[in-house]
Amino acid sequence: MKALWTAAAAAAGAAIYGLTRPGVRESLREDLDTVRRRDPAATSDFVSLVSYPGMHAIWAHRGLHRLWQHEAGKVPARLMSQMVRTLTGVEIHPGATIGRRFFIDHANGVVIGETSEIGDDVMLYHQVTLGGTSMEQTKRHPTIGNHVLVGAGAKILGPVVVGDNSAVGANAVVVKDVAADSSAVGIPATVRSKKGGASEAEAEAESSATQPDFVLEDPALWI
């Protein structure tokens, strides 16, 4: 218990220091705006700030990822990531690379492996795993493109690539690449292109780039 209080005090101190820096304040504002855009239940920035464990896990990961870049920081970063897991229910390996406006809704039971790469404007629901299938010290976790949604309970395993503007259905098990502008549903996941021609897909991608959002066209994505 004392260790948890010590960690909480250290986190509070780091947060207070960070808020004095303009870049940190801008990032915080972007994160809070992302919560409001992704979660209709988010009506108060203060409530989001103190009660969204997914956001807390992402904030912790940013610092731990920087620490992981230094050889002497790898062990403490790994140990602290496990403390974050205990506090938030989200396990993100400090080696994982994560882009901007990342959001984890109902953050619980999410696991993101060491060599995972996540693009911008990605949204995960609870119980999602970005896992590995190899014991080799190589790229063994998924690469998630920009503007991707991953439904609750989905498992994406191995060094597969999920392309931009795609969606992975709830409880799907993905072990092969998912092309851009596609959806993947089932066990193992079946990949199919979204409806519409190439011109429509390009227009949708362009729209997503300016105002990223997710439209769940397949009801199975909600399961």
Side-chain angles (χ1 to χ4, degrees), residues 25-36:
R25 292 199 300 270
E26 291 173 5
S27 180
L28 174 61
R29 180 70 266 165
E30 184 175 69
D31 290 337
L32 291 172
D33 289 343
T34 297
V35 171
R36 287 226 180 194

Side-chain angles (χ1 to χ4, degrees), residues 94-133:
T97 302
I98 299 177
R100 295 172 59 187
R101 296 178 296 277
F102 178 51
F103 181 54
I104 307 173
D105 200 8
H106 305 294
N108 181 57
V110 171
V111 178
I112 299 175
E114 177 185 3
T115 61
S116 298
E117 299 175 54
I118 299 175
D120 297 334
D121 300 292
V122 172
M123 179 175 178
L124 308 184
Y125 282 92
H126 51 287
Q127 305 295 328
V128 167
T129 298
L130 305 184
T133 57

Side-chain angles (χ1 to χ4, degrees), residues 203-217:
E204 182 180 352
E206 182 178 354
S207 174
S208 298
T210 57
Q211 184 60 43
D213 208 339
F214 301 105
V215 178
L216 300 183
E217 299 173 347

Side-chain angles (χ1 to χ4, degrees), residues 98-183:
I98 299 177
R100 295 172 59 187
R101 296 178 296 277
F102 178 51
F103 181 54
I104 307 173
D105 200 8
H106 305 294
N108 181 57
V110 171
V111 178
I112 299 175
E114 177 185 3
T115 61
S116 298
E117 299 175 54
I118 299 175
D120 297 334
D121 300 292
V122 172
M123 179 175 178
L124 308 184
Y125 282 92
H126 51 287
Q127 305 295 328
V128 167
T129 298
L130 305 184
T133 57
S134 170
M135 296 296 291
E136 300 295 328
Q137 293 294 323
T138 183
K139 169 65 173 170
R140 60 190 188 280
H141 296 99
T143 297
I144 310 297
N146 301 319
H147 313 300
V148 172
L149 181 144
V150 183
K155 316 300 178 190
I156 307 177
L157 306 175
V160 300
V161 176
V162 178
D164 296 348
N165 307 301
S166 293
V168 176
N171 295 318
V173 177
V174 178
V175 293
K176 295 182 179 180
D177 290 351
V178 177
D181 300 293
S182 299
S183 62

